[in-house]
Amino acid sequence: MTIERTLHHFPLDPASRQVRLALQEKRLPFSEQIERYWERPESLAALNPSGLTPVLVEKDGASTVIVCESHAILEHLEERFPDTPLLSKDLNQRAEARRLSQWFEQQFDAEVNGFLLREKMEKRLTGGGSPDHGAMRAGRDALRRHLRVIEDMLGVRNWLAGDDLSIGDFAAAAHLSVIDYFGDVPWRDFPLTKTWYVRLKCRPCFRPLLTDRWMGMTPATDYDNLDF
Amino acid sequence: MTIERTLHHFPLDPASRQVRLALQEKRLPFSEQIERYWERPESLAALNPSGLTPVLVEKDGASTVIVCESHAILEHLEERFPDTPLLSKDLNQRAEARRLSQWFEQQFDAEVNGFLLREKMEKRLTGGGSPDHGAMRAGRDALRRHLRVIEDMLGVRNWLAGDDLSIGDFAAAAHLSVIDYFGDVPWRDFPLTKTWYVRLKCRPCFRPLLTDRWMGMTPATDYDNLDF
């Protein structure tokens, strides 16, 4: 029996991007339902009481599974479709990938996205006015602090959580790629992180993200450039 | 071989409490290392670069596994010690427990703890002055909004994620129990949530939390009262 899979997501939502990368890396086909989450659609709230993206719906014959938000979806995919694993068998690296995933969804989201994406993206989506310069500066400073940590990790590791590609890389790449859409990642000052990002950008799983466009928001020149 | 297990935690940290509840429910013995995380101890940063609690260290002969923060620790415990499961075999209920866990760690933490615990607890720990009334009001309003959602769920479910006790209940109880330490949960207005909390409070896994005290912070009268 084939599973009929639908992902409810918003193209420039970092949490949604993590899940798209995982689905694509695992070569699990899915259809897409784009959600304008800031308009609080009732159809989305009926699936996820928090009204947030991403939501994965899998229909397998008569049974339907609804999985809401990045943490639950990534663990579900790993348990159900373990081919092309995104968590290491090594317990320390497995824990590290999950730590990174939570770190990006909580710390990075609050300290960087809460400023940069709020000012540059959400204000435009909701008609909330022009970006506030103080908030943009606070977001850029926090981004540099986080990039420094990533740069140090990549000095001693092949991928962010250790030897193999994991959900930790996808968490980081999902967040950075949205900020990169708006041209705000200072790649030049973080060469190891740039090299790591180029490796990810060249993978087939990444391609759909590079073709994402949203009305009224033109991506930065190098957004889909593999050699930037 | 016996595993030598240490949990680095802070007694009034909701994320740490989730993990203590899970360890105790699964009857996994552990020793405790109390961390004054706001003082940014180097020994903690050496284990977890974000400097946050909880951190679980398991020594098994020559091998040591370090697992940082609630998401990674709860999944690790569930994978390694599946007796007394805290995630349902039913895929929908399994996803729901994880959704709730992420919801409390992100939404609830930002909208409720970011005000109530910041004002009542963190300011005292760090000598940050007296609570701001506006912030306290914002936190209390958000808490009531979240309690209404929980109350509705408990109208149609046995436990928060469905039929069985899960990490979803522990996430909710861990957060509410810290707010309850300061006497700020309006139990009277949410009778189903109160009944659910009494059931949890009576479980052996909950007892150690009820004896927690921190210097200079006396708990509210009913904090350790099973019949409040």
Side-chain angles (χ1 to χ4, degrees), chain A residues 92 95-104 106-107 149 153 157, chain B residues 7-9 13 15-16 35 37 40-57 65-73:
Chain A
N92 278 301
E96 180 66 351
R98 285 173 169 148
R99 177 185 80 79
L100 288 166
S101 177
Q102 185 170 15
W103 181 41
F104 278 94
Q106 282 177 232
Q107 261 61 54
V149 177
M153 294 170 81
R157 295 177 184 177
Chain B
L7 184 69
H8 296 251
H9 77 98
D13 165 38
S16 296
E35 299 286 356
Y37 67 88
R40 303 178 178 279
E42 278 182 35
S43 54
L44 181 60
L47 293 170
N48 182 7
S50 347
L52 296 173
T53 49
V55 177
L56 180 72
V57 180
V65 180
I66 300 169
V67 192
C68 300
E69 299 180 41
S70 59
H71 168 186
I73 299 177

Side-chain angles (χ1 to χ4, degrees), chain B residues 87-105:
Chain B
L87 285 171
S88 171
K89 281 203 165 63
D90 175 272
L91 293 183
N92 278 299
Q93 295 188 24
R94 194 173 181 86
E96 180 66 351
R98 284 171 168 150
R99 176 185 82 79
L100 288 165
S101 177
Q102 186 170 13
W103 181 40
F104 278 93
E105 284 300 303

Side-chain angles (χ1 to χ4, degrees), chain B:
Chain B
M1 183 98 57
T2 321
I3 296 175
E4 199 183 300
R5 191 178 286 115
T6 305
L7 184 69
H8 296 251
H9 77 98
F10 176 64
L12 299 181
D13 165 38
S16 296
R17 286 189 159 205
Q18 278 187 62
V19 170
R20 288 163 70 201
L21 288 171
L23 284 166
Q24 282 146 193
E25 185 70 20
K26 285 174 177 289
R27 296 166 195 267
L28 299 170
F30 62 101
S31 54
E32 303 181 47
Q33 169 74 44
I34 306 297
E35 299 286 356
R36 303 165 72 95
Y37 67 88
W38 61 95
E39 293 176 357
R40 303 178 178 279
E42 278 182 35
S43 54
L44 181 60
L47 293 170
N48 182 7
S50 347
L52 296 173
T53 49
V55 177
L56 180 72
V57 180
E58 289 187 335
K59 288 193 184 162
D60 188 355
S63 84
T64 300
V65 180
I66 300 169
V67 192
C68 300
E69 299 180 41
S70 59
H71 168 186
I73 299 177
L74 293 168
E75 295 290 345
H76 169 83
L77 293 178
E78 198 63 16
E79 285 172 349
R80 300 287 289 171
F81 312 101
D83 297 347
T84 319
L86 293 173
L87 285 171
S88 171
K89 281 203 165 63
D90 175 272
L91 293 183
N92 278 299
Q93 295 188 24
R94 194 173 181 86
E96 180 66 351
R98 284 171 168 150
R99 176 185 82 79
L100 288 165
S101 177
Q102 186 170 13
W103 181 40
F104 278 93
E105 284 300 303
Q106 281 176 235
Q107 261 61 53
F108 193 94
D109 193 73
E111 295 169 18
V112 181
N113 300 352
F115 295 101
L116 290 187
L117 294 188
R118 210 191 108 65
E119 297 299 322
K120 280 222 172 166
M121 182 173 79
E122 290 188 358
K123 278 190 171 177
R124 275 195 244 180
L125 294 174
T126 60
S130 49
D132 174 85
H133 291 294
M136 285 297 296
R137 199 165 40 239
R140 285 202 185 105
D141 289 349
L143 174 60
R144 283 188 169 273
R145 247 189 357 259
H146 284 282
L147 283 169
R148 219 164 288 134
V149 178
I150 294 174
E151 187 78 0
D152 287 347
M153 295 171 81
L154 290 168
V156 293
R157 296 176 183 177
N158 187 30
W159 292 100
L160 274 183
D163 301 327
D164 305 304
L165 179 73
S166 75
I167 59 167
D169 298 288
F170 285 170
H175 280 82
L176 289 172
S177 67
V178 181
I179 295 169
D180 195 45
Y181 186 95
F182 297 99
D184 286 321
V185 184
W187 296 116
R188 213 185 321 197
D189 300 338
F190 301 93
L192 299 176
T193 309
K194 182 178 167 172
T195 305
W196 160 87
Y197 190 64
V198 169
R199 281 159 74 202
L200 278 165
K201 223 172 164 177
C202 292
R203 293 180 88 84
C205 70
F206 220 89
R207 254 172 242 155
L209 274 61
L210 300 180
T211 65
D212 284 340
R213 296 293 179 272
W214 194 257
M215 211 175 48
M217 296 189 209
T218 312
T221 323
D222 283 338
Y223 174 65
D224 54 3
N225 186 352
L226 296 182
D227 182 24
F228 57 105

